[in-house]
Amino acid sequence: MANIIDGKARAKEIRIALKKRVLKQQELTGLLPCLAVVLVGDNPASASYVRGKEQMCGRVSIESRVYRLPEETTQQQLLDLVDELNADKGVDGILVQLPLPKHIDTLTIMDRIDYRKDVDGFHVVNAGKLMVGEKGFVPCTPRGIIDLIKLTGTEIAGKNAVVIGRSNIVGKPVAMLLMAENATVTVCHSKTQNLGDVVKNADIVVAAIGRPGTIKGDMIKDGAVVIDVGTTAVNGVLNGDVEFEEAAKHASYITPVPGGVGPMTIAMLLENTFEAFMEYRVK
Ligand code: GUN
């Protein structure tokens, strides 16, 4: 049976270490980092994620400001708020919660955020920096995934890593990070043929497709490290993309859902916010 990767415990460890650094800076500078979170509309999952971000900021002494805007907010109104937050010297990080209502173009909004405050790492400048290997903000979930893989003690270099899903939020950036760690990376998606044959070759599996049970237990190679990014709510219960029980019989390490990748996303958001504060406010 696989070892369970405890993302909740790891995220807590990261927050405890971060809080010490935050308080140390407060002592030295009198300043605290500040994250602005913008939520448009009333998607219940998004509202719950935003509450989680607010709560975790509080736990590490990062200030948070939450802007809750109605569903009918126009793209121009949202751009105006982003401009205001960009200009606000007291704001280090800006996060616009996704998904946005259909009448708003996500990439237009992401690219309006000052890339120096883009703690989500979704701005085209940060995506480009990640691609060419320049220092920039790395998207939170992918950063958390790499941390969890390293936590298992697995050497990434030279391994076959298979990423299932090609989103800008997880699939593409995690593939870049795995490549930077010298893995041999394959990216699969909804049009991939013979998914099972591809996954069977993987020493590291990152499932980020958002369809419960897509990765069957018998697709997992013996000894593989399995990271399940799926969080699809079915009747109020969060479901991963991997058939956990069956996959755990083959994997050496596996993340649970919930309690695996999820808590790491917010921990990395806090880290990115502190980095923005140190880089552009404290210097
Ligand atoms: N929606 C789901 N994941 C994320 C994330 O990491 N950042 C933002 N802004 N929205 C999301």
Side-chain angles (χ1 to χ4, degrees):
M1 276 301 277
N3 297 287
I4 308 293
I5 307 174
D6 191 344
K8 198 173 163 193
R10 174 65 182 150
K12 187 171 179 186
E13 198 174 279
I14 290 170
R15 288 195 306 270
I16 289 169
L18 179 60
K19 182 172 183 174
K20 285 188 186 145
R21 286 187 284 156
V22 169
L23 294 178
K24 183 78 199 161
Q25 283 307 315
Q26 186 187 28
E27 221 177 279
L28 293 171
T29 66
L31 301 170
L32 285 175
C34 175
L35 173 69
V37 179
V38 182
L39 173 63
V40 185
D42 40 28
N43 177 323
S46 291
S48 149
Y49 292 141
V50 166
R51 279 194 303 275
K53 286 163 186 171
E54 209 178 357
Q55 186 191 15
M56 293 303 165
C57 278
R59 289 212 193 153
V60 300
S61 298
I62 289 179
E63 280 176 28
S64 64
R65 293 194 209 161
V66 179
Y67 296 80
R68 291 184 171 83
L69 308 180
E71 179 81 19
E72 319 75 71
T73 303
T74 64
Q75 177 159 308
Q76 190 55 51
Q77 285 168 328
L78 184 54
L79 288 170
D80 290 345
L81 174 58
V82 169
D83 287 344
E84 196 185 298
L85 296 171
N86 282 342
D88 190 331
K89 291 191 167 47
V91 170
D92 301 291
I94 302 170
L95 179 144
V96 177
Q97 184 65 33
L98 303 180
L100 287 166
K102 289 198 172 29
H103 63 276
I104 298 178
D105 183 62
T106 301
L107 293 181
T108 301
I109 302 299
M110 295 300 107
D111 290 347
R112 188 70 156 242
I113 295 170
D114 185 328
Y115 75 90
R116 292 163 296 193
K117 299 190 178 192
D118 170 39
V119 288
D120 252 333
F122 295 162
H123 190 288
V124 69
V125 166
N126 285 315
K129 283 175 183 279
L130 178 61
M131 178 140 177
V132 300
E134 254 184 55
K135 188 177 176 311
F137 290 111
V138 174
C140 306
T141 303
R143 217 184 137 182
I145 291 168
I146 299 294
D147 184 276
L148 289 182
I149 297 170
K150 288 185 173 171
L151 188 67
T152 67
T154 304
E155 168 84 30
I156 300 175
K159 295 287 167 58
N160 287 332
V162 171
V163 177
I164 306 99
R166 55 176 155 179
S167 71
N168 290 339
I169 297 182
V170 184
K172 283 188 229 172
V174 85
M176 289 295 154
L177 289 173
L178 286 163
M179 227 186 294
E181 297 284 344
N182 299 307
T184 304
V185 182
T186 305
V187 181
C188 301
H189 45 75
S190 54
K191 299 284 190 290
T192 296
Q193 295 182 359
N194 306 319
L195 179 65
D197 293 344
V198 182
V199 175
K200 197 77 200 178
N201 265 319
D203 305 301
I204 298 167
V205 177
V206 178
I209 201 159
R211 290 204 198 132
T214 304
I215 307 302
K216 312 291 179 205
D218 63 6
M219 294 179 179
I220 303 299
K221 177 174 162 179
D222 285 335
V225 174
V226 177
I227 307 291
D228 190 349
V229 191
T231 51
T232 310
V234 181
N235 301 324
V237 177
L238 279 190
N239 280 252
D241 291 342
V242 178
E243 276 184 359
F244 181 86
E245 298 296 334
E246 287 305 306
K249 291 179 185 163
H250 298 280
S252 58
Y253 291 91
I254 188 167
T255 58
V257 175
V261 173
M264 293 298 286
T265 298
I266 301 187
M268 293 303 166
L269 172 67
L270 303 173
E271 285 274 347
N272 279 352
T273 303
F274 183 68
E275 265 175 37
F277 169 74
M278 291 303 290
E279 189 87 9
Y280 299 111
R281 192 139 65 115
V282 174
K283 297 213 182 67

